[in-house]
Amino acid sequence: MATSPAYFPKPVVDDERRGEPRFGAEGDVTLVVSDGLEDLECAAKLLDFSLHGLRIRLGRELDQGQEVRVIFSWGEATTHVQWTKPLSQGFETGLQLF
């Protein structure tokens, strides 16, 4: 009797520098960024994730090392900006989870 295999997301393998696999994801998240005086909220798109990080696309540039809160529909996480890359429309950013 054959059984169906369990479904596990397939890792995205496109960068040999990564120490762990990343998994495709999509959805809207909210970033909370402090400018020193107040917290600013901005919308972003989740592109993928790994055990210790997230990759997002957003309309503003973030500074490397900057602390950012990411709010998901199910909760939130505090992260640090690892890198930011300009795109033709907006920026792509890698965030490290604590």
Short mmCIF file of all heavy atoms in Angstrom, two decimals, residues 7-66:
data_model
loop_
_atom_site.label_atom_id
_atom_site.label_comp_id
_atom_site.label_asym_id
_atom_site.label_seq_id
_atom_site.Cartn_x
_atom_site.Cartn_y
_atom_site.Cartn_z
N TYR A 7 4.48 16.79 2.95
CA TYR A 7 4.87 17.99 2.20
C TYR A 7 5.79 18.84 3.05
O TYR A 7 5.49 19.18 4.18
CB TYR A 7 3.65 18.82 1.81
CG TYR A 7 4.04 20.14 1.21
CD1 TYR A 7 4.54 20.21 -0.08
CD2 TYR A 7 3.98 21.30 1.95
CE1 TYR A 7 4.93 21.42 -0.62
CE2 TYR A 7 4.38 22.52 1.42
CZ TYR A 7 4.85 22.56 0.13
OH TYR A 7 5.26 23.74 -0.42
N PHE A 8 6.95 19.16 2.51
CA PHE A 8 7.87 20.10 3.13
C PHE A 8 8.23 21.13 2.08
O PHE A 8 8.49 20.77 0.93
CB PHE A 8 9.14 19.40 3.62
CG PHE A 8 8.89 18.44 4.74
CD1 PHE A 8 8.74 17.09 4.49
CD2 PHE A 8 8.77 18.89 6.04
CE1 PHE A 8 8.49 16.20 5.52
CE2 PHE A 8 8.52 18.01 7.07
CZ PHE A 8 8.38 16.66 6.82
N PRO A 9 8.28 22.43 2.43
CA PRO A 9 8.66 23.43 1.44
C PRO A 9 10.05 23.14 0.90
O PRO A 9 10.93 22.71 1.63
CB PRO A 9 8.64 24.75 2.20
CG PRO A 9 8.04 24.48 3.52
CD PRO A 9 8.04 23.00 3.74
N LYS A 10 10.23 23.37 -0.38
CA LYS A 10 11.52 23.15 -1.01
C LYS A 10 12.41 24.36 -0.77
O LYS A 10 12.01 25.48 -1.03
CB LYS A 10 11.34 22.91 -2.50
CG LYS A 10 12.61 22.55 -3.20
CD LYS A 10 12.37 22.20 -4.64
CE LYS A 10 13.69 21.86 -5.29
NZ LYS A 10 13.53 21.45 -6.66
N PRO A 11 13.65 24.14 -0.28
CA PRO A 11 14.53 25.29 -0.06
C PRO A 11 14.91 25.96 -1.37
O PRO A 11 15.02 25.31 -2.40
CB PRO A 11 15.77 24.69 0.60
CG PRO A 11 15.50 23.25 0.80
CD PRO A 11 14.24 22.89 0.12
N VAL A 12 15.11 27.27 -1.32
CA VAL A 12 15.59 28.04 -2.46
C VAL A 12 17.11 28.02 -2.38
O VAL A 12 17.70 28.43 -1.39
CB VAL A 12 15.08 29.50 -2.38
CG1 VAL A 12 15.64 30.31 -3.52
CG2 VAL A 12 13.56 29.53 -2.37
N VAL A 13 17.77 27.52 -3.44
CA VAL A 13 19.22 27.42 -3.44
C VAL A 13 19.75 28.30 -4.55
O VAL A 13 19.78 27.90 -5.70
CB VAL A 13 19.68 25.96 -3.64
CG1 VAL A 13 21.20 25.88 -3.63
CG2 VAL A 13 19.08 25.05 -2.59
N ASP A 14 20.15 29.52 -4.21
CA ASP A 14 20.66 30.41 -5.24
C ASP A 14 21.85 31.22 -4.76
O ASP A 14 22.34 32.07 -5.45
CB ASP A 14 19.56 31.34 -5.75
CG ASP A 14 19.07 32.30 -4.68
OD1 ASP A 14 19.32 32.06 -3.51
OD2 ASP A 14 18.43 33.29 -5.04
N ASP A 15 22.33 30.96 -3.56
CA ASP A 15 23.45 31.73 -3.03
C ASP A 15 24.31 30.79 -2.20
O ASP A 15 23.92 30.40 -1.11
CB ASP A 15 22.94 32.90 -2.20
CG ASP A 15 24.04 33.86 -1.80
OD1 ASP A 15 25.22 33.46 -1.84
OD2 ASP A 15 23.71 35.00 -1.45
N GLU A 16 25.48 30.46 -2.68
CA GLU A 16 26.34 29.49 -2.02
C GLU A 16 26.90 30.01 -0.70
O GLU A 16 27.44 29.24 0.07
CB GLU A 16 27.48 29.10 -2.96
CG GLU A 16 27.01 28.36 -4.20
CD GLU A 16 26.28 27.07 -3.88
OE1 GLU A 16 26.68 26.34 -2.94
OE2 GLU A 16 25.27 26.79 -4.55
N ARG A 17 26.82 31.31 -0.42
CA ARG A 17 27.36 31.87 0.82
C ARG A 17 26.47 31.58 2.01
O ARG A 17 26.90 31.70 3.15
CB ARG A 17 27.55 33.38 0.69
CG ARG A 17 28.59 33.74 -0.35
CD ARG A 17 28.63 35.23 -0.54
NE ARG A 17 27.34 35.67 -1.03
CZ ARG A 17 26.91 36.91 -1.00
NH1 ARG A 17 27.64 37.86 -0.49
NH2 ARG A 17 25.72 37.23 -1.48
N ARG A 18 25.24 31.20 1.80
CA ARG A 18 24.31 30.98 2.90
C ARG A 18 24.68 29.72 3.66
O ARG A 18 24.98 28.70 3.07
CB ARG A 18 22.89 30.88 2.38
CG ARG A 18 22.40 32.20 1.79
CD ARG A 18 20.95 32.14 1.44
NE ARG A 18 20.14 31.93 2.61
CZ ARG A 18 19.68 32.89 3.40
NH1 ARG A 18 19.99 34.13 3.15
NH2 ARG A 18 18.93 32.62 4.43
N GLY A 19 24.63 29.77 4.97
CA GLY A 19 24.96 28.64 5.79
C GLY A 19 23.79 27.73 6.08
O GLY A 19 23.96 26.65 6.62
N GLU A 20 22.59 28.15 5.73
CA GLU A 20 21.40 27.34 5.97
C GLU A 20 20.40 27.57 4.84
O GLU A 20 20.43 28.61 4.19
CB GLU A 20 20.77 27.69 7.32
CG GLU A 20 20.42 29.15 7.47
CD GLU A 20 20.14 29.54 8.92
OE1 GLU A 20 20.71 28.93 9.84
OE2 GLU A 20 19.35 30.45 9.11
N PRO A 21 19.54 26.60 4.58
CA PRO A 21 18.60 26.76 3.47
C PRO A 21 17.56 27.84 3.75
O PRO A 21 17.22 28.11 4.90
CB PRO A 21 17.92 25.39 3.37
CG PRO A 21 18.11 24.76 4.69
CD PRO A 21 19.38 25.32 5.27
N ARG A 22 17.10 28.46 2.68
CA ARG A 22 16.00 29.41 2.81
C ARG A 22 14.77 28.81 2.14
O ARG A 22 14.88 27.97 1.27
CB ARG A 22 16.37 30.77 2.23
CG ARG A 22 16.41 30.83 0.73
CD ARG A 22 16.65 32.22 0.24
NE ARG A 22 18.08 32.47 0.19
CZ ARG A 22 18.62 33.46 -0.47
NH1 ARG A 22 17.89 34.31 -1.11
NH2 ARG A 22 19.91 33.62 -0.48
N PHE A 23 13.62 29.28 2.56
CA PHE A 23 12.35 28.76 2.07
C PHE A 23 11.54 29.91 1.50
O PHE A 23 11.50 30.99 2.09
CB PHE A 23 11.58 28.07 3.21
CG PHE A 23 12.35 26.92 3.79
CD1 PHE A 23 13.18 27.10 4.88
CD2 PHE A 23 12.24 25.67 3.22
CE1 PHE A 23 13.90 26.04 5.41
CE2 PHE A 23 12.96 24.60 3.74
CZ PHE A 23 13.79 24.79 4.83
N GLY A 24 10.93 29.69 0.36
CA GLY A 24 10.10 30.70 -0.26
C GLY A 24 8.93 31.07 0.63
O GLY A 24 8.38 30.24 1.34
N ALA A 25 8.58 32.32 0.60
CA ALA A 25 7.44 32.82 1.39
C ALA A 25 6.89 34.03 0.68
O ALA A 25 7.58 34.65 -0.13
CB ALA A 25 7.88 33.20 2.80
N GLU A 26 5.67 34.34 0.95
CA GLU A 26 5.11 35.58 0.42
C GLU A 26 4.07 36.09 1.39
O GLU A 26 3.47 35.34 2.14
CB GLU A 26 4.50 35.36 -0.96
CG GLU A 26 3.43 34.31 -1.03
CD GLU A 26 2.91 34.12 -2.44
OE1 GLU A 26 3.72 33.93 -3.35
OE2 GLU A 26 1.68 34.16 -2.60
N GLY A 27 3.93 37.37 1.40
CA GLY A 27 2.97 37.99 2.29
C GLY A 27 3.42 39.37 2.69
O GLY A 27 4.56 39.77 2.45
N ASP A 28 2.53 40.09 3.29
CA ASP A 28 2.80 41.44 3.74
C ASP A 28 3.23 41.41 5.20
O ASP A 28 2.67 40.66 6.00
CB ASP A 28 1.56 42.32 3.59
CG ASP A 28 1.14 42.46 2.15
OD1 ASP A 28 2.00 42.54 1.27
OD2 ASP A 28 -0.08 42.51 1.90
N VAL A 29 4.22 42.22 5.53
CA VAL A 29 4.65 42.40 6.91
C VAL A 29 4.77 43.90 7.15
O VAL A 29 4.85 44.69 6.22
CB VAL A 29 5.99 41.70 7.21
CG1 VAL A 29 5.86 40.20 7.06
CG2 VAL A 29 7.11 42.22 6.33
N THR A 30 4.78 44.28 8.41
CA THR A 30 4.99 45.67 8.79
C THR A 30 6.30 45.77 9.54
O THR A 30 6.58 44.95 10.42
CB THR A 30 3.84 46.17 9.69
OG1 THR A 30 2.61 46.05 8.98
CG2 THR A 30 4.04 47.61 10.11
N LEU A 31 7.12 46.74 9.16
CA LEU A 31 8.37 46.99 9.87
C LEU A 31 8.18 48.18 10.79
O LEU A 31 7.54 49.17 10.41
CB LEU A 31 9.49 47.32 8.89
CG LEU A 31 9.86 46.27 7.87
CD1 LEU A 31 11.03 46.75 7.03
CD2 LEU A 31 10.20 44.96 8.52
N VAL A 32 8.73 48.11 11.97
CA VAL A 32 8.75 49.23 12.89
C VAL A 32 10.22 49.61 13.07
O VAL A 32 11.03 48.83 13.56
CB VAL A 32 8.11 48.88 14.25
CG1 VAL A 32 8.15 50.08 15.18
CG2 VAL A 32 6.67 48.40 14.04
N VAL A 33 10.54 50.83 12.61
CA VAL A 33 11.91 51.33 12.60
C VAL A 33 11.94 52.59 13.45
O VAL A 33 11.12 53.48 13.28
CB VAL A 33 12.35 51.67 11.15
CG1 VAL A 33 13.77 52.16 11.12
CG2 VAL A 33 12.15 50.47 10.23
N SER A 34 12.92 52.66 14.36
CA SER A 34 13.06 53.86 15.18
C SER A 34 14.04 54.82 14.51
O SER A 34 15.11 54.41 14.07
CB SER A 34 13.57 53.49 16.57
OG SER A 34 13.76 54.66 17.33
N ASP A 35 13.67 56.09 14.42
CA ASP A 35 14.58 57.09 13.85
C ASP A 35 15.26 57.89 14.98
O ASP A 35 15.86 58.93 14.73
CB ASP A 35 13.86 58.02 12.88
CG ASP A 35 12.89 58.97 13.55
OD1 ASP A 35 12.69 58.87 14.78
OD2 ASP A 35 12.32 59.82 12.84
N GLY A 36 15.15 57.41 16.20
CA GLY A 36 15.74 58.10 17.34
C GLY A 36 14.74 58.92 18.12
O GLY A 36 14.88 59.11 19.31
N LEU A 37 13.73 59.45 17.43
CA LEU A 37 12.71 60.26 18.08
C LEU A 37 11.38 59.55 18.19
O LEU A 37 10.66 59.71 19.16
CB LEU A 37 12.52 61.57 17.30
CG LEU A 37 13.77 62.46 17.19
CD1 LEU A 37 13.48 63.65 16.28
CD2 LEU A 37 14.22 62.92 18.56
N GLU A 38 11.06 58.77 17.16
CA GLU A 38 9.77 58.07 17.15
C GLU A 38 9.90 56.79 16.34
O GLU A 38 10.85 56.59 15.60
CB GLU A 38 8.68 58.96 16.54
CG GLU A 38 8.94 59.34 15.09
CD GLU A 38 7.87 60.26 14.53
OE1 GLU A 38 6.73 60.19 14.98
OE2 GLU A 38 8.19 61.03 13.63
N ASP A 39 8.93 55.91 16.53
CA ASP A 39 8.87 54.68 15.74
C ASP A 39 8.09 54.94 14.47
O ASP A 39 7.01 55.53 14.50
CB ASP A 39 8.18 53.56 16.53
CG ASP A 39 9.03 53.04 17.67
OD1 ASP A 39 10.26 53.30 17.66
OD2 ASP A 39 8.49 52.36 18.56
N LEU A 40 8.68 54.51 13.34
CA LEU A 40 8.03 54.66 12.04
C LEU A 40 7.61 53.28 11.55
O LEU A 40 8.38 52.33 11.66
CB LEU A 40 8.99 55.29 11.04
CG LEU A 40 9.62 56.62 11.45
CD1 LEU A 40 10.71 57.01 10.47
CD2 LEU A 40 8.55 57.69 11.52
N GLU A 41 6.41 53.17 11.01
CA GLU A 41 5.94 51.91 10.44
C GLU A 41 6.00 51.99 8.93
O GLU A 41 5.67 53.02 8.34
CB GLU A 41 4.49 51.63 10.87
CG GLU A 41 4.36 51.26 12.32
CD GLU A 41 2.96 50.77 12.67
OE1 GLU A 41 2.11 50.62 11.76
OE2 GLU A 41 2.71 50.54 13.86
N CYS A 42 6.44 50.91 8.30
CA CYS A 42 6.41 50.85 6.84
C CYS A 42 6.05 49.44 6.39
O CYS A 42 6.36 48.46 7.07
CB CYS A 42 7.73 51.33 6.22
SG CYS A 42 9.18 50.44 6.72
N ALA A 43 5.37 49.37 5.27
CA ALA A 43 4.93 48.09 4.72
C ALA A 43 6.06 47.44 3.93
O ALA A 43 6.86 48.13 3.31
CB ALA A 43 3.72 48.30 3.82
N ALA A 44 6.12 46.11 3.98
CA ALA A 44 7.14 45.37 3.23
C ALA A 44 6.54 44.05 2.77
O ALA A 44 5.51 43.60 3.28
CB ALA A 44 8.36 45.12 4.11
N LYS A 45 7.19 43.43 1.79
CA LYS A 45 6.81 42.12 1.28
C LYS A 45 7.84 41.11 1.74
O LYS A 45 9.04 41.30 1.56
CB LYS A 45 6.78 42.11 -0.26
CG LYS A 45 5.71 42.97 -0.86
CD LYS A 45 4.39 42.29 -0.78
CE LYS A 45 3.34 43.09 -1.55
NZ LYS A 45 2.02 42.61 -1.31
N LEU A 46 7.39 40.02 2.35
CA LEU A 46 8.27 38.93 2.73
C LEU A 46 8.57 38.11 1.48
O LEU A 46 7.66 37.69 0.77
CB LEU A 46 7.59 38.07 3.79
CG LEU A 46 8.37 36.87 4.29
CD1 LEU A 46 9.66 37.31 4.97
CD2 LEU A 46 7.50 36.07 5.26
N LEU A 47 9.87 37.88 1.18
CA LEU A 47 10.28 37.14 -0.01
C LEU A 47 10.69 35.71 0.32
O LEU A 47 10.37 34.78 -0.42
CB LEU A 47 11.43 37.86 -0.71
CG LEU A 47 11.15 39.28 -1.14
CD1 LEU A 47 12.40 39.92 -1.72
CD2 LEU A 47 10.00 39.31 -2.15
N ASP A 48 11.45 35.53 1.39
CA ASP A 48 11.80 34.19 1.85
C ASP A 48 12.32 34.28 3.27
O ASP A 48 12.47 35.36 3.83
CB ASP A 48 12.79 33.49 0.90
CG ASP A 48 14.12 34.19 0.75
OD1 ASP A 48 14.59 34.81 1.72
OD2 ASP A 48 14.70 34.11 -0.34
N PHE A 49 12.59 33.10 3.86
CA PHE A 49 13.07 33.05 5.23
C PHE A 49 13.96 31.84 5.43
O PHE A 49 13.94 30.90 4.63
CB PHE A 49 11.89 33.00 6.22
CG PHE A 49 11.13 31.71 6.17
CD1 PHE A 49 11.42 30.69 7.07
CD2 PHE A 49 10.14 31.49 5.22
CE1 PHE A 49 10.73 29.49 7.02
CE2 PHE A 49 9.44 30.30 5.17
CZ PHE A 49 9.74 29.30 6.07
N SER A 50 14.75 31.89 6.48
CA SER A 50 15.55 30.76 6.92
C SER A 50 15.39 30.68 8.43
O SER A 50 14.67 31.47 9.03
CB SER A 50 17.02 30.93 6.52
OG SER A 50 17.59 32.01 7.24
N LEU A 51 16.09 29.75 9.04
CA LEU A 51 15.98 29.59 10.48
C LEU A 51 16.38 30.86 11.23
O LEU A 51 15.81 31.21 12.24
CB LEU A 51 16.85 28.42 10.94
CG LEU A 51 16.83 28.09 12.43
CD1 LEU A 51 15.42 27.73 12.87
CD2 LEU A 51 17.80 26.96 12.72
N HIS A 52 17.35 31.60 10.68
CA HIS A 52 17.87 32.78 11.39
C HIS A 52 17.72 34.09 10.62
O HIS A 52 18.37 35.08 10.95
CB HIS A 52 19.34 32.57 11.74
CG HIS A 52 19.54 31.48 12.73
ND1 HIS A 52 19.97 30.22 12.38
CD2 HIS A 52 19.33 31.43 14.07
CE1 HIS A 52 20.03 29.47 13.44
NE2 HIS A 52 19.63 30.17 14.49
N GLY A 53 16.90 34.13 9.57
CA GLY A 53 16.79 35.37 8.83
C GLY A 53 15.58 35.47 7.92
O GLY A 53 14.86 34.49 7.70
N LEU A 54 15.38 36.67 7.41
CA LEU A 54 14.28 36.99 6.49
C LEU A 54 14.84 37.83 5.35
O LEU A 54 15.80 38.58 5.53
CB LEU A 54 13.22 37.84 7.19
CG LEU A 54 12.64 37.36 8.50
CD1 LEU A 54 11.83 38.47 9.15
CD2 LEU A 54 11.76 36.15 8.25
N ARG A 55 14.22 37.72 4.19
CA ARG A 55 14.53 38.63 3.07
C ARG A 55 13.23 39.31 2.70
O ARG A 55 12.21 38.66 2.51
CB ARG A 55 15.10 37.86 1.88
CG ARG A 55 15.56 38.78 0.76
CD ARG A 55 16.35 38.00 -0.29
NE ARG A 55 15.57 36.94 -0.86
CZ ARG A 55 15.04 36.95 -2.09
NH1 ARG A 55 15.23 37.99 -2.89
NH2 ARG A 55 14.35 35.93 -2.53
N ILE A 56 13.28 40.66 2.64
CA ILE A 56 12.07 41.45 2.37
C ILE A 56 12.33 42.44 1.24
O ILE A 56 13.48 42.73 0.90
CB ILE A 56 11.61 42.21 3.63
CG1 ILE A 56 12.72 43.16 4.11
CG2 ILE A 56 11.17 41.26 4.73
CD1 ILE A 56 12.29 44.13 5.18
N ARG A 57 11.25 42.97 0.67
CA ARG A 57 11.31 44.07 -0.30
C ARG A 57 10.46 45.20 0.27
O ARG A 57 9.35 44.98 0.74
CB ARG A 57 10.76 43.61 -1.65
CG ARG A 57 10.88 44.70 -2.72
CD ARG A 57 10.44 44.21 -4.10
NE ARG A 57 9.09 43.69 -4.06
CZ ARG A 57 8.74 42.45 -4.41
NH1 ARG A 57 9.61 41.59 -4.85
NH2 ARG A 57 7.48 42.07 -4.36
N LEU A 58 11.02 46.42 0.24
CA LEU A 58 10.30 47.56 0.78
C LEU A 58 10.68 48.82 0.03
O LEU A 58 11.59 48.82 -0.79
CB LEU A 58 10.57 47.73 2.29
CG LEU A 58 11.96 48.10 2.74
CD1 LEU A 58 11.89 48.67 4.15
CD2 LEU A 58 12.86 46.88 2.75
N GLY A 59 9.99 49.92 0.32
CA GLY A 59 10.16 51.16 -0.41
C GLY A 59 11.21 52.10 0.12
O GLY A 59 11.45 53.15 -0.46
N ARG A 60 11.87 51.76 1.23
CA ARG A 60 12.88 52.65 1.80
C ARG A 60 14.14 51.87 2.11
O ARG A 60 14.11 50.67 2.34
CB ARG A 60 12.36 53.36 3.04
CG ARG A 60 12.07 52.43 4.20
CD ARG A 60 11.70 53.14 5.45
NE ARG A 60 12.90 53.74 6.02
CZ ARG A 60 12.90 54.50 7.09
NH1 ARG A 60 11.79 54.78 7.71
NH2 ARG A 60 14.01 55.00 7.56
N GLU A 61 15.24 52.60 2.15
CA GLU A 61 16.52 51.98 2.47
C GLU A 61 16.70 51.91 3.99
O GLU A 61 16.36 52.85 4.70
CB GLU A 61 17.65 52.79 1.85
CG GLU A 61 19.01 52.16 2.02
CD GLU A 61 20.09 52.89 1.24
OE1 GLU A 61 19.86 54.03 0.80
OE2 GLU A 61 21.16 52.30 1.08
N LEU A 62 17.23 50.80 4.46
CA LEU A 62 17.55 50.63 5.87
C LEU A 62 19.06 50.56 6.02
O LEU A 62 19.77 50.12 5.12
CB LEU A 62 16.90 49.36 6.42
CG LEU A 62 15.38 49.28 6.35
CD1 LEU A 62 14.89 47.92 6.81
CD2 LEU A 62 14.74 50.39 7.17
N ASP A 63 19.57 50.97 7.18
CA ASP A 63 21.00 50.98 7.43
C ASP A 63 21.47 49.65 8.00
O ASP A 63 20.80 49.06 8.86
CB ASP A 63 21.36 52.08 8.43
CG ASP A 63 21.05 53.47 7.91
OD1 ASP A 63 21.20 53.68 6.68
OD2 ASP A 63 20.65 54.33 8.71
N GLN A 64 22.62 49.18 7.55
CA GLN A 64 23.19 47.95 8.06
C GLN A 64 23.38 48.08 9.57
O GLN A 64 23.82 49.10 10.07
CB GLN A 64 24.52 47.66 7.39
CG GLN A 64 25.09 46.32 7.79
CD GLN A 64 26.35 45.97 7.02
OE1 GLN A 64 26.85 46.77 6.24
NE2 GLN A 64 26.86 44.79 7.24
N GLY A 65 22.99 47.04 10.30
CA GLY A 65 23.10 47.03 11.75
C GLY A 65 21.89 47.60 12.47
O GLY A 65 21.76 47.44 13.69
N GLN A 66 21.01 48.27 11.76
CA GLN A 66 19.83 48.89 12.35
C GLN A 66 18.91 47.82 12.93
O GLN A 66 18.70 46.77 12.35
CB GLN A 66 19.11 49.68 11.27
CG GLN A 66 17.97 50.53 11.72
CD GLN A 66 17.45 51.42 10.59
OE1 GLN A 66 17.78 51.24 9.43
NE2 GLN A 66 16.65 52.39 10.95
#
